[in-house]
Amino acid sequence: MADIKDESTRRDFIHVASVSAAALGAACVAWPLIDQMNPAADTLALSTTEFDVSGVQEGMSVTVVWRGKPVFVRHRTRAEIEEASAVELSELPDPQTDADRTPRPEILVLLGVCTHLGCVPLGQKATDPKGEWGGWFCPCHGSHYDTSGRIRKGPAPTNLVIPPYKYISDDVIKIG
Amino acid sequence: MSGPKLTNPVARWIDHRLPVFTFLHHEMHEYPTPKNLNYWWNFGSLAGITLVIMIVTGIILSMHYTAHVDHAFQSVERIMRDVNYGWLIRYIHANGASFFFIVVYIHIFRGLYYGSYKAPRELLWILGVVILLLMMATAFMGYVLPWGQMSFWGATVITNLFSAIPLVGESIVTLLWGGFSVDNPTLNRFFSLHYLLPFVIVGVVVLHIVALHRFGSNNPLGIDVRGEQDTVSFHPYYTVKDMFGLSAFLTIMAAIVFFLPNSMGHPDNYIPANPMVTPAHIVPEWYFLPFYAILRAVPDKLLGVLAMFAAIGVLFILPWLDRSPVRSATFRPIYKIMFWVFLVDCVALTYLGAKPAEGIYVILSRLCTVYYFFHFIILLPALSIFETPRSLPRSIGKSVLRGGNGAPAPAPAAAREKS
Amino acid sequence: MMTLRSKLITLLLSTLISAPFSIIANSAESIAFPSQEWSFNGPFGTFDRSELQRGFQVYKEICATCHSLNFISFRNLTDLGFNENEVKAIAAEFQVEDGPNNEGEMFERAAIPSDVWPTPYKNDNAARASNNGALPPDLSLIVDARSGGADYLFALLSGYHKVPAGKEIGEGMYYNAYYPGNQIAMPSPLVEDGVEYGDGTRATLVQQARDVSAFLAWATEPNMEQRKRMGVMVIIFLLVMTGLFYYSKKKIWSDVH
């Protein structure tokens, strides 16, 4: 917006200073207006979940809620652990060793969300179908997961995700 | 006047097909504005900017607010405590409403003092009164949303007013409530309309500015612009003056938002609404107090409601009540005094609106209400006929070659031709 | 511009601007109480964390029996200076309802930091039944919900003076020098040495009243310090910008005036 009248004043320092101050002010105002959309304090407080795994009996599975999603915690039997470790990596659509998926073989912690399109696979309850590899079976489009939660057959592209978690004591894990 | 010098080829391509740049250049850059405007003319742009602030903060708040009687209060507290900068956005929105009214009331009183409502700006003025009404409806519904004690009981009292209408009153109130008392249906529809009306206000503001640009701004002398010597281009003179005014305004608003954020509110609204317990004193927000005082001053329920609406109604017909051809109070010695008396009357009504309807407050409220209507309905028309104005100056700016050819105006209104 | 006129206008405007504040502050029945010095008063006020912790102790051991704190979660207590483990330990002292479990029943479990402070009563009716029909109000917003805020709270809590001669007190009510109407349904909750402070401060009644009032001021507005800190910076910035635009305006208008 050049104007003959203000050409001589445009370059005046005072005007540059005022307009720059206004621009800086506008930028500073913009940040809170955007940041308010980031997760609020109460949402962040629920971003971690602690869980005592000693309550899960051998052969049983428990579902824990973390960030609004199901997390499967399974206390695997000897047989299930051996099956999971004995697999040839070349057989796996998404190769990953069982050891890489859990620091403590008896306890398996997985995000219970099918990596195909997000349904919750069956296999937590004793009466659920567990698929051909004895792990989990997703009824939506027929993905089969093994006892390590790895995809074996079906449209899912990758293994069930291992959520970030660590043992904060002998039996308590903190997820997230 | 020439269009903008567009060097950027993209800008030229757009402007040729949709002349936004030419339009803005004409309306906001070279637009001739009287050069003698004082700081009372800043309040229009302040009102516009406050409207934008309210819309932006309001849209953000509605991302986190839940309009259900069981969750509304709690959702607002969640905004205050958990949402990032939620407390800031909420305090800006709540105090922004008060500042919006402060700015608009000053803007209106400027119009009253300088005769900005007179020909040919009658419609500009009427559009302004429409904006005021929309603001009042918006603010009323907005205050209900936090669902505190004052929210609920203020809504109950004011919606109950409509039952004063004969025959259909009760049905209208039931329709407004969506039930048999202020409850969840009421809250939900108020939320919907509170979100809608500000955009209606934006539309009317556009019309208001179009009407303004038809004849240009009035000025403190109240005499017409006669030529280039009386005006300056809007940019940079008034853009920089408006920026200065805005900075000063934001400083004051920041002082309140950051250090006295609850000073203009009522403590009872921090108590969740309880339909079984009425607060000791139901008080509307301060900007409604003068109208509340007028409402309570009239002993009859229906007449009280009519008086309250008439208080705004008189503003609509003001250009026809005050027919003095002299615009500015600067040259109307009696009107000038009566303006200040009127202003004191409005402040008194504001004060009285917060007082309990007892004793001396009732008498004073009635006196002030009578005076309010006396000012518009009797005094102004009388002054149009009987006041002898002072001589008007010849022109706004010092003209170089020719003087303003307007003769001084000593004669009373009846003898003069309306421009 | 005549000086007198400018003065009158300024006077009128300041009355106008201050009118809203004085209107709201006056309440027909409220009794005047002295204002206090609080660490959080004023534009540079901050909370005194040891005072808040003492006040929290008073709340937890005395007030929480009857008064809920619905908008405070255990995780908010890190604001008082407790670390994450201390907060977990405090939370674990309380039981909260959870469920339904796989059998469809609600059950009780130890609270965790993300839980809200548990209510002392299941619902309002239960609260009234246990308190002679009176409902102990939630305290999370009490400082903003009462005219006078923390000053009023302190006056109230330390205002259980001896009943003046000739004053009639209703059945189940107690005399308080500052409660509107002078009769309150709550007996004096504080007594001399009613709690044992961890930091060794003598727990006089007045000391407890001060500490818990400060704690409730925090509970009402935990973000107060951030608000005032930001306010100082924003106002300094705006004053500078106002000054800059003032000089810009003067410069641009110099050829007109």
Side-chain angles (χ1 to χ4, degrees):
Chain A
M1 287 230 263
D3 190 316
I4 300 164
K5 180 162 216 122
D6 61 1
E7 233 165 30
S8 60
T9 57
R10 269 189 95 206
R11 277 167 262 122
D12 282 10
F13 173 73
I14 184 67
H15 305 314
V16 172
S18 333
V19 173
S20 308
L24 173 65
C28 292
V29 161
W31 172 241
L33 302 182
I34 295 170
D35 191 36
Q36 55 84 19
M37 287 200 286
N38 273 327
D42 59 344
T43 310
L44 290 174
L46 296 172
S47 66
T48 64
T49 303
E50 288 178 15
F51 181 67
D52 184 348
V53 301
S54 61
V56 187
Q57 311 283 11
E58 185 171 334
M60 303 298 292
S61 291
V62 164
T63 307
V64 177
V65 176
W66 172 68
R67 293 189 182 174
K69 294 179 278 221
V71 170
F72 297 156
V73 180
R74 182 180 278 187
H75 188 154
R76 300 191 292 185
T77 60
R78 272 245 69 85
E80 287 173 334
I81 300 172
E82 271 166 32
E83 258 185 81
S85 343
V87 175
E88 285 285 336
L89 287 180
S90 53
E91 280 176 40
L92 297 170
D94 181 14
Q96 212 181 2
T97 64
D98 186 58
D100 279 345
R101 291 175 61 75
T102 173
R104 185 172 148 183
E106 321 84 73
I107 302 292
L108 186 66
V109 179
L110 304 165
L111 196 58
V113 176
C114 185
T115 57
H116 178 226
L117 289 174
C119 294
V120 179
L122 302 171
Q124 289 294 89
K125 296 218 243 310
T127 48
D128 275 351
K130 292 193 163 74
E132 288 167 29
W133 284 268
W136 289 269
F137 171 71
C138 186
C140 290
H141 308 100
S143 294
H144 297 252
Y145 296 91
D146 66 13
T147 52
S148 185
R150 294 173 295 206
I151 182 65
R152 294 303 204 105
K153 176 169 143 182
T158 50
N159 303 332
L160 289 176
V161 173
I162 309 289
Y165 73 97
K166 64 179 199 269
Y167 281 88
I168 56 176
S169 77
D170 281 347
D171 283 327
V172 179
I173 54 172
K174 177 169 167 159
I175 313 174
Chain B
M1 282 283 190
S2 58
K5 288 202 296 281
L6 293 174
T7 48
N8 185 313
V10 175
R12 274 216 298 276
W13 186 95
I14 295 174
D15 199 64
H16 183 59
R17 291 155 178 72
L18 179 68
V20 273
F21 298 107
T22 302
F23 175 79
L24 287 174
H25 182 83
H26 182 67
E27 301 296 334
M28 282 189 65
H29 187 146
E30 59 179 20
Y31 177 70
T33 316
K35 60 178 170 182
N36 62 332
L37 299 184
N38 59 33
Y39 281 101
W40 299 111
W41 262 261
N42 275 53
F43 288 87
S45 66
L46 287 181
I49 292 170
T50 310
L51 175 62
V52 170
I53 292 174
M54 293 304 284
I55 289 178
V56 169
T57 53
I59 290 175
I60 290 173
L61 287 175
S62 68
M63 290 185 184
H64 303 278
Y65 172 75
T66 303
H68 187 285
V69 294
D70 294 335
H71 300 295
F73 191 88
Q74 181 200 35
S75 69
V76 172
E77 275 310 302
R78 179 175 175 270
I79 289 169
M80 294 296 290
R81 292 161 190 269
D82 289 324
V83 173
N84 299 328
Y85 298 103
W87 56 270
L88 177 62
I89 296 167
R90 196 268 176 117
Y91 278 148
I92 292 177
H93 196 76
N95 287 291
S98 281
F99 275 89
F100 201 2
F101 278 95
I102 290 174
V103 155
V104 164
Y105 282 151
I106 294 176
H107 183 69
I108 291 174
F109 275 94
R110 182 281 310 264
L112 291 176
Y113 189 86
Y114 292 107
S116 306
Y117 50 85
K118 291 173 185 287
R121 298 182 179 86
E122 302 96 319
L123 205 46
L124 170 64
W125 171 263
I126 288 173
L127 286 168
V129 182
V130 169
I131 293 172
L132 175 66
L133 272 178
L134 289 170
M135 276 175 64
M136 293 169 81
T138 309
F140 167 68
M141 291 190 293
Y143 193 67
V144 177
L145 302 182
W147 210 241
Q149 274 288 66
M150 277 308 166
S151 304
F152 179 87
W153 289 100
T156 302
V157 167
I158 299 303
T159 45
N160 259 319
L161 287 180
F162 290 91
S163 64
I165 301 170
L167 294 176
V168 291
E170 291 287 343
S171 312
I172 290 180
V173 176
T174 307
L175 179 77
L176 286 176
W177 283 343
F180 306 109
S181 65
V182 170
D183 204 343
N184 203 44
T186 325
L187 178 62
N188 269 268
R189 63 194 54 180
F190 277 10
F191 181 49
S192 167
L193 295 175
H194 181 74
Y195 204 116
L196 167 71
L197 284 188
F199 295 100
V200 176
I201 292 176
V202 169
V204 183
V205 165
V206 168
L207 292 177
H208 188 69
I209 296 179
V210 169
L212 171 69
H213 280 213
R214 173 68 181 87
F215 294 105
S217 292
N218 187 17
N219 67 83
L221 294 176
I223 57 182
D224 286 334
V225 161
R226 297 200 205 288
E228 266 184 42
Q229 70 279 12
D230 292 339
T231 65
V232 288
S233 58
F234 191 80
H235 177 74
Y237 294 95
Y238 287 106
T239 42
V240 74
K241 193 172 182 188
D242 277 350
M243 284 304 292
F244 167 61
L246 175 63
S247 307
F249 170 73
L250 288 177
T251 309
I252 299 173
M253 190 167 153
I256 300 291
V257 163
F258 287 98
F259 297 107
L260 293 166
N262 292 305
S263 52
M264 290 192 273
H266 199 287
D268 275 0
N269 226 32
Y270 275 104
I271 301 171
N274 185 345
M276 300 296 121
V277 175
T278 308
H281 301 292
I282 300 178
V283 192
E285 284 289 270
W286 69 268
Y287 37 82
F288 289 135
L289 289 175
F291 305 100
Y292 197 56
I294 293 175
L295 170 76
R296 295 187 306 175
V298 181
D300 179 84
K301 186 174 175 186
L302 176 60
L303 290 178
V305 173
L306 290 176
M308 185 178 74
F309 284 116
I312 311 222
V314 288
L315 292 176
F316 276 103
I317 56 172
L318 176 59
W320 293 276
L321 292 171
D322 177 5
R323 293 171 179 266
S324 166
V326 177
R327 292 196 186 107
S328 173
T330 315
F331 302 103
R332 302 180 62 190
I334 304 180
Y335 176 75
K336 186 195 285 199
I337 299 171
M338 304 322 296
F339 168 86
W340 292 110
V341 174
F342 175 71
L343 178 56
V344 168
D345 183 65
C346 290
V347 173
L349 282 170
T350 308
Y351 173 80
L352 291 165
K355 290 291 166 213
E358 285 155 21
I360 181 109
Y361 300 125
V362 176
I363 302 167
L364 286 174
S365 302
R366 290 180 180 164
L367 275 172
C368 291
T369 301
V370 167
Y371 186 79
Y372 182 96
F373 288 104
F374 165 78
H375 174 92
F376 285 104
I377 300 175
I378 298 179
L379 187 61
L380 293 187
L383 282 181
S384 316
I385 301 170
F386 295 115
E387 180 178 38
T388 310
R390 290 166 47 200
S391 322
L392 293 175
R394 288 173 178 277
S395 74
I396 295 171
K398 284 202 181 75
S399 55
V400 179
L401 289 171
R402 40 170 171 234
N405 53 1
R416 283 181 59 77
E417 212 180 285
K418 240 1 209 156
S419 55
Chain C
M1 277 287 216
M2 297 185 301
T3 336
L4 176 63
R5 184 164 148 218
S6 311
K7 281 190 186 145
L8 281 173
I9 293 176
T10 313
L11 180 64
L12 194 56
L13 275 179
S14 31
T15 315
L16 263 170
I17 290 170
S18 60
F21 307 131
S22 53
I23 283 167
I24 305 306
N26 282 336
S27 169
E29 305 154 353
S30 66
I31 302 165
F33 45 84
S35 52
Q36 303 291 328
E37 304 246 330
W38 300 101
S39 65
F40 47 87
N41 273 352
F44 306 102
T46 51
F47 289 119
D48 173 347
R49 298 239 141 31
S50 40
E51 185 177 47
L52 292 187
Q53 289 196 15
R54 290 197 298 273
F56 170 61
Q57 187 179 351
V58 173
Y59 170 76
K60 183 155 90 87
E61 293 179 19
I62 301 175
C63 322
T65 324
C66 304
H67 288 280
S68 57
L69 202 62
N70 291 333
F71 296 117
I72 294 292
S73 301
F74 291 101
R75 59 180 166 87
N76 297 128
L77 296 173
T78 51
D79 267 3
L80 304 191
F82 297 119
N83 64 37
E84 230 189 278
N85 288 328
E86 286 170 324
V87 168
K88 271 196 217 171
I90 294 171
E93 292 174 39
F94 295 86
Q95 292 285 306
V96 289
E97 195 182 59
D98 202 351
N101 58 20
N102 289 338
E103 278 75 53
E105 277 162 19
M106 307 302 281
F107 59 92
E108 300 251 307
R109 60 158 175 80
I112 54 177
S114 58
D115 285 325
V116 170
W117 193 275
T119 53
Y121 302 106
K122 266 199 160 17
N123 49 55
D124 280 2
N125 288 350
R128 283 188 190 279
S130 300
N131 288 285
N132 264 331
L135 178 64
D138 180 82
L139 295 181
S140 9
L141 285 167
I142 200 74
V143 166
D144 274 345
R146 299 289 183 271
S147 229
D151 292 344
Y152 168 72
L153 271 195
F154 175 78
L156 182 81
L157 290 171
S158 53
Y160 283 90
H161 302 155
K162 260 170 53 145
V163 186
K167 178 93 183 162
E168 282 273 330
I169 303 295
E171 179 80 31
M173 304 294 274
Y174 303 86
Y175 175 78
N176 187 289
Y178 298 104
Y179 190 76
N182 289 122
Q183 296 194 49
I184 186 172
M186 171 175 78
S188 177
L190 304 175
V191 293
E192 291 288 327
D193 292 314
V195 295
E196 203 177 301
Y197 281 138
D199 64 357
T201 312
R202 258 213 70 206
T204 59
L205 192 148
V206 166
Q207 180 69 45
Q208 292 174 64
R210 266 199 91 77
D211 294 337
V212 79
S213 301
F215 168 74
L216 290 174
W218 168 82
T220 295
E221 201 186 351
N223 291 315
M224 182 220 76
E225 288 168 313
Q226 186 193 17
R227 162 167 70 82
K228 289 182 177 177
R229 258 195 329 259
M230 200 185 285
V232 171
M233 291 192 295
V234 167
I235 290 192
I236 290 176
F237 171 82
L238 284 172
L239 283 172
V240 167
M241 189 166 83
T242 306
L244 289 175
F245 273 111
Y246 177 72
Y247 288 110
S248 268
K249 184 255 175 195
K250 272 242 146 351
K251 190 144 193 158
I252 288 180
W253 280 81
S254 55
D255 57 357
V256 173
H257 291 322

